Amino acid sequence: MTGNRVRVLSDHLSPSSSSPMASSEKDAALAAVPSDGPTIFDKIIKKEIPATVVYEDDKALAFRDINPQASTHILIIPKVKDGLTGLSKAEERHVEILGYLLYVAKLVAKQEGLDDGFRTVINDGPNGCQSVYHLHIHLLGGRQMNWPPG
């Protein structure tokens, strides 16, 4: 099982993945084990893994998704996880950082020229297609979004 989980997550994180996106996202989410342990995002924050950073300050980091679902697809993460592995784990102490991350999404959207609109998404848990258990906001733009989303 562990080998399969690693393969699925590796396929999910590899920009040259040959599997269909919808399937690999779902597979990665189903294979991910909810945990408060270190994630790939922690390695990106520590600069151990390269990322195309578009915004950084002392509280948040924003970088381009390696498997974009729109011409602009950026992930916005808190630099300190503090137990915030997903939105369903949020507590009152997280109110400030949650609001701040949305504000950063607005700043990055403006910086990226998404004047005609954009979408923010937070996946939560296996059914929400969450594959990395470090809360993150997807900022998508540059194309017409559809409704319902999926």
Side-chain angles (χ1 to χ4, degrees):
M1 177 69 175
T2 301
N4 185 44
R5 177 177 178 271
V6 170
R7 182 193 57 75
V8 169
L9 287 174
S10 174
D11 288 350
H12 170 68
L13 295 171
S14 170
S16 61
S17 176
S18 60
S19 58
M21 190 60 218
S23 178
S24 73
E25 286 290 330
K26 183 179 175 184
D27 291 345
L30 293 174
V33 177
S35 165
D36 194 27
T39 70
I40 191 167
F41 292 168
D42 293 298
K43 291 181 179 187
I44 290 171
I45 291 166
K46 294 176 185 174
K47 311 289 191 235
E48 295 171 359
I49 294 177
T52 304
V53 174
V54 297
Y55 179 91
E56 181 171 11
D57 64 21
D58 60 326
K59 297 179 190 175
L61 182 68
F63 52 94
R64 297 200 186 278
D65 194 298
I66 62 168
N67 219 338
Q69 300 303 299
S71 57
T72 300
H73 187 168
I74 294 167
L75 301 177
I76 302 161
I77 63 173
K79 283 188 162 181
V80 176
K81 191 167 24 173
D82 187 28
L84 197 53
T85 56
L87 191 56
S88 62
K89 301 299 182 189
E91 298 177 6
E92 190 171 345
R93 73 177 192 266
H94 298 122
V95 168
E96 182 180 339
I97 191 64
L98 289 168
Y100 187 73
L101 293 172
L102 289 173
Y103 177 69
V104 168
K106 175 257 187 192
L107 293 177
V108 172
K110 183 169 182 58
Q111 173 184 298
E112 293 289 316
L114 300 176
D115 301 323
D116 290 336
F118 55 90
R119 177 172 288 168
T120 56
V121 176
I122 299 175
N123 299 328
D124 191 84
N127 285 349
C129 237
Q130 183 177 5
S131 57
V132 178
Y133 282 84
H134 183 133
L135 183 116
H136 53 287
I137 297 174
H138 294 260
L139 173 66
L140 301 133
R143 69 170 170 86
Q144 178 60 56
M145 301 293 158
N146 296 315
W147 195 260

